[in-house]
Structures are given as C-alpha cells and as structure tokens.
Amino acid sequence: MEFIIIILVIAVLCIIFRVSTDIIIMCSLILIGIVLAVTALLFVYFFICLLFSEKCSAEFSKTDKSDKNKFSKAYYIVDGVEYPCIFPEEKFFGIKFYRKDRKYNVWLNRRFKFVYDRFAFTTCIIGFTASIFLAVITVVLYLSV
C-alpha cells in the first residue's frame, strides 16, 4: 500500500513541476516492466524448484498458518512426514478442494521441505506464462512510445 502512495505522490509532483507526460509514461512503463521482470524471475525460480521435485502420493493433513508467514497453508503427509505447500491455501473453495479422506498427487521438494499441490502447480505454470506475456507487452508498449 505504501508503494502505491509513494508512486502517486511522485506522479503528482511530476505534474506540479510540469514534467512532460511522455517522460511520466516512459518511467511508468519502465517501473511496470521491472516489477513484471522480477515477478517472472520469481516464477522461474518456483518453476525450477518444481522441476527438481519428485511426484509423490500424499494425504492431506490440515490447513494452518505457518510460523514464518501470515497466510494459511495446506499441509500434506508424505511418508509419515508433514510438509507445507509452497503457496497459500485456496480460501474460496477450501472445503471442497482439501479433503482429508483422499490421497493427492503432490510434487515434493525434499531439499527445501515443501510440496507443490495441484493448485501450486497451476499457479506456477499460469504465473510464469502470464508474467512473461505481460513483460513482453510492456516492452512493446515502451518501444512504441
């Protein structure tokens, strides 16, 4: 939230000091491009971790807040050991998505001690694709200005 307020204050100051709108638009596109590039790199990292994970059968254990994060995560039991999911749990349909009476296929990363469930897998694929696509659009818009 603070980031958005800072950006708005800078934009208002640029308008007050009569900075060219072309420069404001170019700087905005550069900032958006940097944010999208960092997002794409983050998803590349998660995607690489996913590639080095092994597919396992797991039993859903619980959803709970972890000690490190403020979001609730799904926990799965693989070979008697409980692992958290890499991404936060799905809140809207959590009751239907996470059922204790079923076995799930997860991708276990033993090195970092977390799993990718089907929702994390989908998030990783869609996030990577969308961030690359949006970064390309931003570059095209920047080059056309």
Side-chain angles (χ1 to χ4, degrees), residues 123-136:
T123 301
C124 197
I125 300 296
I126 292 173
F128 174 71
T129 307
S131 60
I132 295 297
F133 178 72
L134 291 173
V136 167

Side-chain angles (χ1 to χ4, degrees), residues 36-47:
L36 288 172
V38 169
T39 303
L41 288 175
L42 185 68
F43 278 113
V44 165
Y45 170 75
F46 286 131
F47 193 71

Side-chain angles (χ1 to χ4, degrees), residues 60 63 74 76 88-100 102 104 117-119:
F60 174 73
T63 56
Y76 294 91
E89 72 168 318
E90 174 63 45
K91 282 284 192 194
F92 297 113
F93 300 108
I95 295 171
K96 292 188 181 216
F97 286 165
Y98 302 108
R99 295 178 43 193
K100 289 190 178 193
R102 291 186 55 201
Y104 293 96
D117 61 4
R118 58 190 173 166
F119 311 113

Side-chain angles (χ1 to χ4, degrees), residues 2-113:
E2 295 86 11
F3 181 72
I4 294 172
I5 293 171
I6 291 170
I7 296 298
L8 288 175
V9 168
I10 291 172
V12 168
L13 287 174
C14 287
I15 291 170
I16 290 172
F17 292 121
R18 299 178 190 250
V19 175
S20 171
T21 55
D22 291 341
I23 293 175
I24 294 173
I25 291 171
M26 280 194 340
C27 290
S28 300
L29 287 174
I30 289 171
L31 182 65
I32 290 169
I34 290 170
V35 168
L36 288 172
V38 169
T39 303
L41 288 175
L42 185 68
F43 278 113
V44 165
Y45 170 75
F46 286 131
F47 193 71
I48 289 171
C49 286
L50 176 63
L51 289 177
F52 289 106
S53 300
E54 61 183 274
K55 192 171 185 179
C56 300
S57 180
E59 182 180 324
F60 174 73
S61 173
K62 63 182 178 183
T63 56
D64 196 13
K65 288 188 178 185
S66 75
D67 299 336
K68 299 176 186 175
N69 299 328
K70 60 182 176 179
F71 300 108
S72 293
K73 291 187 173 192
Y75 287 83
Y76 294 91
I77 297 175
V78 178
D79 297 332
V81 180
E82 189 175 62
Y83 295 100
C85 185
I86 186 73
F87 295 124
E89 72 168 318
E90 174 63 45
K91 282 284 192 194
F92 297 113
F93 300 108
I95 295 171
K96 292 188 181 216
F97 286 165
Y98 302 108
R99 295 178 43 193
K100 289 190 178 193
D101 58 345
R102 291 186 55 201
K103 291 269 188 186
Y104 293 96
N105 288 326
V106 296
W107 292 264
L108 173 62
N109 190 313
R110 292 189 192 274
R111 180 174 182 202
F112 296 112
K113 297 183 172 99

